[in-house]
Amino acid sequence: MTAADYQSFADAWESRATIRTRPRRVLENDDKLIYPLSRQPLVLSETFLRECPQLRDFALVQTLYKFINDVVIFETEIVDKTARSIAKNRFAVTFPFACRYDAMTVVVDEDYHALVAMDFMQQTVAMTGITPIDLPDEIELSRAIPAAVDLAPAHLRSAVELICVAIAENTVTGDVAAFAKDDTVKHSIKGLMADHLLDEGRHSGFWSRMVRIYWHTASEDDRQCIAQILPVFIGHYLTNDIQKSFDFHLIDALQISDATRQVLKSEVSGLAFPINRHHPLVANIVRFFRSSSLLDSPCVQSALSDYLI
Ligand SMILES: [Fe+2]
Ligand SMILES: [Fe+2]
């Protein structure tokens, strides 16, 4: 695929973008869960169920706040930044106007997703009376992208940034999908996830096409250089440090004995996924490497051999 083949999705955006089509969602005060149990394994641990099952909803609400906080950081600090610089033609790689227009729809969608997430934060605080514990001011990508970009020579920095954001936009989609299907969760929360997913389907295709266009023009030397950086990015992206430190904070906020606190901390420490092909996000990442054509290059195949099955 080359820049000349690019077809804008502007019509689909006009008719389907959630900012164009969705009324405000209101959190309902019913017995359903505010966050899926499967996405906060702490509350499923034997110790938690024995010592403090009454704190389950508190822990789930705090985990929802962490999720919302992550969404706001991802949308406003990561995706917005890269999409905006493409839209404004400030990117080192030059894209045709149709790409820049579509990039601007991504900026609008992402800032809207951040707004909707913040709305759910305020609605949840108002309904539950539970205020957020200290939330992280970074997500994994806040470290992974600069780490990757720093390894690139000056002329490849924006290409590396583009590929990193494209990877991230293609992995979160599958992650949010699991959420939207869970019937134990409140209707409005599932709706929030489904809305987001609808927009992200358009975005993941957009980022894959941008990377395809770029990769088509990249020299063999540049491709080899970028291939060496990819595993460094993935290693940082898949670390569990920020989640673990949030879980520790959450455990500190629970009204339980010190002994129980220690046991819960050691249990959540054992929950991290390995950073290799068995990590649950790796299938999505590899799918992106195929759809963006990167995996057609032998240098990418060998650099990613740890992640390929
Ligand atoms: Fe988004
Ligand atoms: Fe997105």
Side-chain angles (χ1 to χ4, degrees):
M1 171 164 196
T2 64
D5 305 321
Y6 186 84
Q7 298 250 329
S8 173
F9 58 64
D11 290 343
W13 187 81
E14 290 295 338
S15 58
R16 295 209 283 273
T18 58
I19 189 172
R20 283 273 197 252
T21 57
R22 291 292 191 281
R24 183 185 184 208
R25 290 195 183 269
V26 179
L27 190 66
E28 54 282 88
N29 198 354
D30 60 14
D31 291 341
K32 294 214 168 188
L33 301 172
I34 206 153
Y35 200 80
L37 295 171
S38 59
R39 295 184 53 102
Q40 180 42 285
L42 168 68
V43 301
L44 294 173
S45 84
E46 238 175 81
T47 310
F48 192 97
L49 290 170
R50 188 181 60 243
E51 298 295 331
C52 54
Q54 75 285 2
L55 298 177
R56 183 194 72 182
D57 288 345
F58 173 82
L60 291 180
V61 165
Q62 294 296 350
T63 309
L64 173 71
Y65 292 154
K66 154 84 164 52
F67 177 82
I68 286 173
N69 187 63
D70 288 356
V71 167
V72 173
I73 294 172
F74 180 57
E75 307 292 37
T76 61
E77 293 177 26
I78 312 277
V79 191
D80 174 298
K81 174 183 175 286
T82 307
R84 188 179 295 255
S85 65
I86 292 169
K88 302 273 285 177
N89 211 11
R90 293 202 188 111
F91 216 66
V93 181
T94 307
F95 292 104
F97 185 83
C99 295
R100 291 169 47 205
Y101 186 90
D102 287 356
M104 199 65 212
T105 69
V106 173
V107 171
V108 170
D109 289 343
E110 302 301 27
D111 283 11
Y112 180 63
H113 297 158
L115 181 77
V116 172
M118 289 170 71
D119 184 26
F120 268 77
M121 172 88 86
Q122 68 177 359
Q123 288 191 48
T124 308
V125 172
M127 195 171 89
T128 63
I130 299 172
T131 52
I133 58 172
D134 259 357
L135 293 170
D137 52 15
E138 285 186 322
I139 57 175
E140 291 74 11
L141 289 162
S142 318
R143 299 174 186 174
I145 294 178
V149 168
D150 281 353
L151 291 174
H155 76 287
L156 292 181
R157 293 212 173 117
S158 57
V160 168
E161 179 186 320
L162 171 66
I163 293 168
C164 293
V165 171
I167 292 170
E169 279 276 273
N170 276 268
T171 46
V172 289
T173 307
D175 198 38
V176 174
F179 230 116
K181 290 186 204 129
D182 191 327
D183 284 330
T184 62
V185 174
K186 287 184 189 297
H187 182 75
S188 59
I189 299 274
K190 286 175 57 174
L192 160 85
M193 300 301 165
D195 289 353
H196 196 161
L197 199 59
L198 192 86
D199 289 335
E200 293 306 333
R202 206 167 45 247
H203 295 183
S204 57
F206 168 74
W207 292 106
S208 297
R209 286 190 294 160
M210 301 298 276
V211 171
R212 277 180 93 96
I213 290 171
Y214 165 70
W215 200 247
H216 183 81
T217 66
S219 70
E220 186 53 33
D221 279 356
D222 288 352
R223 289 179 178 190
Q224 294 209 3
C225 177
I226 291 171
Q228 299 310 309
I229 295 173
L230 294 174
V232 179
F233 168 75
I234 296 172
H236 283 279
Y237 182 32
L238 299 182
T239 53
N240 182 54
D241 302 0
I242 298 176
Q243 180 64 48
K244 186 173 147 188
S245 109
F246 168 79
D247 286 339
F248 276 29
H249 263 89
L250 174 55
I251 292 166
D252 284 336
L254 300 174
Q255 306 268 337
I256 48 176
S257 70
D258 277 350
T260 305
R261 205 162 270 148
Q262 290 319 313
V263 178
L264 286 176
K265 284 185 181 178
S266 79
E267 282 178 358
V268 300
S269 298
L271 290 172
F273 290 108
I275 302 175
N276 58 29
R277 70 194 70 175
H278 301 296
H279 192 288
L281 287 182
V282 164
N284 296 353
I285 296 177
V286 170
R287 195 177 317 118
F288 162 77
F289 284 129
R290 285 190 212 289
S291 71
S292 62
S293 80
L294 260 68
L295 209 52
D296 296 344
S297 302
C299 58
V300 175
Q301 292 166 16
S302 69
L304 295 177
S305 57
D306 279 356
Y307 296 99
L308 301 172
I309 296 135

